């Protein structure tokens, strides 16, 4: 369930200069959205192993399938209070939200007439199936092997995906004053009492609403435009040659990646969606060479260098999705009431040249290690999301579409420290820490056709830190683990203008888990995720310096029963 209050003001607050003031309220929009979803994951897998001397063969095969259903009713109402003023404050330059602090009248909203602004139901379902077969052969490639070695194999997998959405949109403008619930509840980091739309969409009498010709047409359009099917076959074959000296190992290989896909998308003509799908097919094959070397020094120090060529495939919805419309969800940003995401059937796969170099130092009888690594990736046809705002039928939409960049690069340093045997107060602990510093850039063509460079890549924070501590408790055959993560802010989509860029704000999160054995092959595991109650902020701006909204997802508490094999 999600409830939202959105105040529309008579004039725009000048974010750059006005840190406080008074402004007239034009309207208040109140939203309630609910989801009832189910998800099931299934799979069957098997493998055969054969080993003789220096020869080894492993064959794996399996099939996994997954289904998803979600029923989502949405109700929105609005009021135009008379002579209502709000005071506001906040330092926008420091990334604060400009917050309303008080209202001039406690009764102006209660005395207003509330009318329906948006009423809709959505049924969403998706099914996915993935069969896969893999075979690997190795000769003389173990850690202690010397001389010539060989590894070869192949993998085939197929992805079939079907996405179906049905929408029912209803006439609005009718009176909803009786549904307005005025409370004394004040949400965190908010200052005004909340107004709720007091209706349960899952029990609401939708049959009492009318559906005129325009809403019927939009329901049919929005239902059909979001449906798609996608099928992808990937065949990989590889061979690598190994040569091991006493302290040095060389590996050179190549992998051939052969991908073919078909996407079935809705056909649109004169703003009408046909029941027949348009099929878009494509295929590509890429040789992906790689070279590695490792040298072991006698004082428990290793150096490792590697070069590889890699490929990243677009997601099915990036290619096959004609249009997906969501309204009033947590995605809404930039003041948009609805979001439209579109696929791009001409999207190319992401290709990269990868260079890596690391120095590893072992200690504590090889139970601990300190590693410093440098990496550099030169990326061709990187995939990013281009976003812009558009007005349709009086509703502001946030439109996003995946695109290919003309060139990208990312490089950085990674420091890792771990020790699997730390004795303290008669107890044993595992400690690990990982810190990464990154810098990247991306060149792309913006919505105006201009070549642009941005000094970040999509989903690339400047700093990323992870840490974990595990306390082993032999008496209960279990343990206690705490994990912590700090992620710097990062870009998620590029706007039509740099000031409209969007991203995720920096956050710190702490998780904990405890487990113990209760029977021979049965263990209980308890988890608490987001123990710190971390709030996640969407940020905007050319430097992602302004907070757009903040979401509190709460804590997740999980209980697992783990069955170990005999």
């Amino acid at each position: 369930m999600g409830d939202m209050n959105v105040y529309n003001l008579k004039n725009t607050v000048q974010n750059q200069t006005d840190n406080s003031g008074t402004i007239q309220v034009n309207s208040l929009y109140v939203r309630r959205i609910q989801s009832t979803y189910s998800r099931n994951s299934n799979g069957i897998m098997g493998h055969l192993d054969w080993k003789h001397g220096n020869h080894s063969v492993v064959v794996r095969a399996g099939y996994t399938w997954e289904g998803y259903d979600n029923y989502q009713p949405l109700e929105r109402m609005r009021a135009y209070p008379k002579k209502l003023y709000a005071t506001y404050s906040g330092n926008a330059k420091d990334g604060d939200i400009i917050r309303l602090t008080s209202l001039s009248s406690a009764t102006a909203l209660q005395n207003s007439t509330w009318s329906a602004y948006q009423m809709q139901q959505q049924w969403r379902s998706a099914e996915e199936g993935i069969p896969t077969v893999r075979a690997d052969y190795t000769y003389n490639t173990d850690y202690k092997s010397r001389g010539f070695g060989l590894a070869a194999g192949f993998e085939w997998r197929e992805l079939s995906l079907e996405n179906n959405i049905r929408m029912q949109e209803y006439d609005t403008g009718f009176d909803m004053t009786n549904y307005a619930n005025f409370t004394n509840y004040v949400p965190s980091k908010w200052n005004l009492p909340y107004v709720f739309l007091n209706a349960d969409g899952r029990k609401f009498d939708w049959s009492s609403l009318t559906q005129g010709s325009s809403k019927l047409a939009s329901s049919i359009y929005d239902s059909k435009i979001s449906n798609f099917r996608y099928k992808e076959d990937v065949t990989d074959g590889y061979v690598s040659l190994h040569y091991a000296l006493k302290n040095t190992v060389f590996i050179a290989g190549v992998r051939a990646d052969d991908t073919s896909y078909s996407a079935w998308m809705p056909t649109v003509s004169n703003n009408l969606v046909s029941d027949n799908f348009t099929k878009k097919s494509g295929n590509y094959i890429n040789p992906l060479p790689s070279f590695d070397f490792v040298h072991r020094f006698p004082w428990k120090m290793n150096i490792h260098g590697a070069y590889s060529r890699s490929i990243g495939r677009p997601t099915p919805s990036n290619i096959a999705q004609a249009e997906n419309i969501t309204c009033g969800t947590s995605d809404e940003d930039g003041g948009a009431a609805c979001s439209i995401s579109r696929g791009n059937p001409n999207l190319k796969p992401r290709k990269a040249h990868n260079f890596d170099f690391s120095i590893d130092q072992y200690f504590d009888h090889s139970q601990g290690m300190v590693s410093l690594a440098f990496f550099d990736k030169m990326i061709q046809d990187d995939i990013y999301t281009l976003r812009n705002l558009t007005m349709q039928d009086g509703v502001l939409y946030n439109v996003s579409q995946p695109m290919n960049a003309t060139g990208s690069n990312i490089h950085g340093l990674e420091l890792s420290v771990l020790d699997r045997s730390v004795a303290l107060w008669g107890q044993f602990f595992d400690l690990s820490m990982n810190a990464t510093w990154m810098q990247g850039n991306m060149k792309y063509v913006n919505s105006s056709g201009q070549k642009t460079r941005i000094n970040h890549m999509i989903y690339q924070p400047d700093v990323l830190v992870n840490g974990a501590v595990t306390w082993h408790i032999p008496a209960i055959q279990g343990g206690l683990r705490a994990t912590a993560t700090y992620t710097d802010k990062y870009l998620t989509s590029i706007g039509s203008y740099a000031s409209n860029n969007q991203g995720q704000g920096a956050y710190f999160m702490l998780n904990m888990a405890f487990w113990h054995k209760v029977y021979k092959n049965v263990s209980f595991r308890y988890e608490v995720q987001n123990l710190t109650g971390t709030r996640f902020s969407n940020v905007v701006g050319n430097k992602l310096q302004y907070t757009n909204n903040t979401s509190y997802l709460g804590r997740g508490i999980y209980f697992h029963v783990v069955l170990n094999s005999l």
Side-chain angles (χ1 to χ4, degrees):
M1 178 183 295
D3 294 280
M4 180 177 289
N5 284 194
V6 178
Y7 284 83
N8 286 344
L9 308 177
K10 285 282 188 179
N11 298 305
T12 302
V13 175
Q14 301 300 316
N15 291 343
Q16 301 289 341
T17 57
D18 291 354
N19 293 329
S20 63
T22 301
I23 196 166
Q24 187 172 358
V25 175
N26 179 66
S27 57
L28 172 59
Y29 289 75
V30 177
R31 178 214 75 184
R32 169 159 288 190
I33 188 170
Q34 296 162 285
S35 292
T36 303
Y37 64 88
S38 63
R39 184 173 182 173
N40 63 83
S41 300
N42 309 274
I44 181 170
M45 303 187 72
H47 67 92
L48 295 173
D49 297 353
W50 175 83
K51 187 175 178 64
H52 179 73
N54 291 333
H55 300 272
S56 175
V57 175
V58 180
V59 179
R60 303 178 182 90
Y63 179 70
T64 59
W65 65 100
E66 186 170 358
Y68 172 83
D69 291 281
N70 183 22
Y71 169 58
Q72 187 182 81
L74 165 68
E75 309 90 41
R76 285 162 62 98
M77 63 182 185
R78 65 181 172 184
Y80 292 91
K82 296 179 180 178
K83 298 181 180 180
L84 178 63
Y85 294 84
T87 58
Y88 63 87
S89 66
N91 190 344
K93 288 187 176 181
D94 292 339
D96 288 345
I97 298 176
I98 297 295
R99 303 180 189 279
L100 302 184
T101 57
S102 64
L103 298 176
S104 62
S105 171
T107 60
L109 291 172
Q110 287 90 328
N111 295 331
S112 299
T113 299
W114 294 80
S115 60
Y117 176 66
Q118 185 179 21
M119 304 292 288
Q120 71 175 46
Q121 294 174 286
Q122 182 186 89
W123 295 263
R124 182 190 299 267
S125 64
E127 294 181 354
E128 178 185 81
I130 306 176
T132 181
V133 177
R134 175 168 180 163
D136 296 279
Y137 165 76
T138 61
Y139 167 74
N140 199 37
T141 59
D142 292 342
Y143 178 78
K144 295 182 180 181
S145 298
R146 298 291 181 267
F148 173 77
L150 173 68
F154 82 93
E155 179 182 20
W156 169 83
R157 65 182 179 274
E158 180 182 86
L159 167 65
S160 297
L161 175 67
E162 184 171 353
N163 185 77
N164 292 287
I165 291 179
R166 182 166 66 91
M167 299 273 284
Q168 288 289 348
E169 301 166 31
Y170 301 91
D171 296 335
T172 56
F174 57 87
D175 185 79
M176 292 190 73
T177 304
N178 291 334
Y179 289 97
N181 183 16
F182 305 99
T183 71
N184 294 320
Y185 172 70
V186 179
S188 174
K189 295 190 175 182
W190 188 242
N191 303 298
L192 308 179
Y194 226 61
V195 182
F196 288 94
L197 197 161
N198 191 18
D200 187 341
R202 297 165 298 183
K203 301 177 181 178
F204 189 80
D205 184 12
W206 294 95
S207 63
S208 65
L209 302 185
T210 60
Q211 191 178 49
S213 58
S214 63
K215 290 299 182 182
L216 178 60
S218 62
S219 296
I220 295 173
Y221 181 92
D222 292 342
S223 296
K224 293 182 177 181
I225 197 66
S226 300
N227 298 334
F228 66 86
R229 300 198 309 271
Y230 183 82
K231 184 177 180 180
E232 180 180 85
D233 284 274
V234 179
T235 303
D236 289 333
Y238 75 91
V239 61
S240 61
L241 302 178
H242 299 232
Y243 192 78
L245 301 172
K246 180 180 179 180
N247 295 310
T248 309
V249 178
F250 301 93
I251 303 173
V254 64
R255 178 167 67 95
D257 181 283
D258 184 12
T259 301
S260 60
Y261 64 89
S262 295
W264 290 265
M265 299 165 289
T267 303
V268 182
S269 178
N270 297 323
N271 292 323
L272 296 176
V273 185
S274 170
D275 290 326
N276 298 320
F277 280 1
T278 298
K279 183 180 179 181
K280 168 73 175 182
S281 298
N283 68 283
Y284 47 87
I285 184 170
N286 291 276
L288 306 173
S290 63
F291 177 78
D292 289 75
F293 82 90
V294 178
H295 181 74
R296 307 182 185 96
F297 291 97
W299 47 88
K300 295 186 177 180
M301 177 185 288
N302 295 345
I303 60 171
H304 178 208
Y307 161 77
S308 64
R309 179 86 161 141
S310 61
I311 190 169
R313 278 171 282 276
T315 64
S317 60
N318 281 165
I319 295 177
Q321 180 175 281
E323 202 169 89
N324 185 31
I325 301 175
T326 56
C327 295
T329 68
S330 57
D331 311 307
E332 66 179 18
D333 44 27
C338 298
S339 297
I340 299 177
S341 56
R342 295 172 177 152
N344 183 351
N346 299 315
L347 210 59
K348 301 176 183 177
R350 177 193 295 111
K351 303 174 186 176
H353 294 279
N354 310 294
F355 300 89
D356 299 273
F357 181 81
S358 65
I359 301 176
D360 308 323
Q361 176 66 62
Y362 293 87
F363 62 91
D364 192 13
H365 307 287
S366 296
Q367 295 296 311
M369 183 190 74
V370 178
S371 176
L372 181 63
F374 168 79
F375 59 89
D376 185 272
K377 298 178 182 293
M378 295 183 294
I379 305 171
Q380 177 186 352
D381 296 323
D382 194 17
I383 299 172
Y384 70 97
T385 301
L386 182 64
R387 183 185 56 81
N388 60 74
L389 298 175
T390 184
M391 185 73 72
Q392 296 183 15
D393 299 326
V395 178
L396 186 62
Y397 287 85
N398 178 4
V399 183
S400 61
Q401 185 175 31
M403 305 291 288
N404 283 121
T406 56
S408 303
N409 175 262
I410 185 171
H411 59 270
L413 293 172
E414 181 177 7
L415 174 66
S416 302
V417 182
L418 67 88
D419 194 336
R420 300 183 184 277
S421 180
V422 177
L424 186 64
W425 304 310
Q427 305 295 317
F428 288 93
F429 299 84
D430 287 351
L431 304 178
S432 64
M433 187 277 292
N434 176 278
T436 306
W437 168 82
M438 292 174 277
Q439 276 194 337
N441 62 77
M442 186 170 66
K443 299 175 183 177
Y444 65 97
V445 178
N446 64 20
S447 57
S448 301
Q450 299 174 326
K451 293 183 177 180
T452 307
R453 172 189 165 110
I454 189 170
N455 292 324
H456 272 88
M457 288 180 55
I458 299 290
Y459 303 112
Q460 173 243 308
D462 289 341
V463 177
L464 178 64
V465 182
N466 297 293
V469 179
T470 304
W471 174 24
H472 297 281
I473 311 175
I476 61 172
Q477 299 186 54
L480 177 68
R481 175 179 295 123
T483 60
T485 299
Y486 170 78
T487 301
D488 202 1
K489 63 183 179 182
Y490 57 85
L491 186 70
T492 57
S493 65
I494 296 175
S496 301
Y497 304 96
S499 59
N500 293 331
N501 291 345
Q502 293 192 354
Q504 170 69 56
Y507 66 88
F508 171 82
M509 181 184 289
L510 176 65
N511 303 323
M512 295 196 72
F514 173 73
W515 65 96
H516 62 95
K517 182 167 286 189
V518 295
Y519 193 62
K520 292 181 180 179
N521 304 299
V522 181
S523 296
F524 288 170
R525 181 181 178 89
Y526 318 86
E527 291 186 58
V528 180
Q529 295 187 2
N530 195 16
L531 190 64
T532 44
T534 299
R535 291 169 169 81
F536 299 90
S537 298
N538 292 333
V539 291
V540 298
N542 60 331
K543 297 182 180 179
L544 303 180
Q545 68 271 45
Y546 304 118
T547 301
N548 188 38
N549 60 70
T550 299
S551 300
Y552 174 54
L553 303 181
R555 298 180 179 88
I557 300 176
Y558 302 89
F559 172 68
H560 306 271
V561 177
V562 182
L563 303 177
N564 299 314
S565 59
L566 299 176

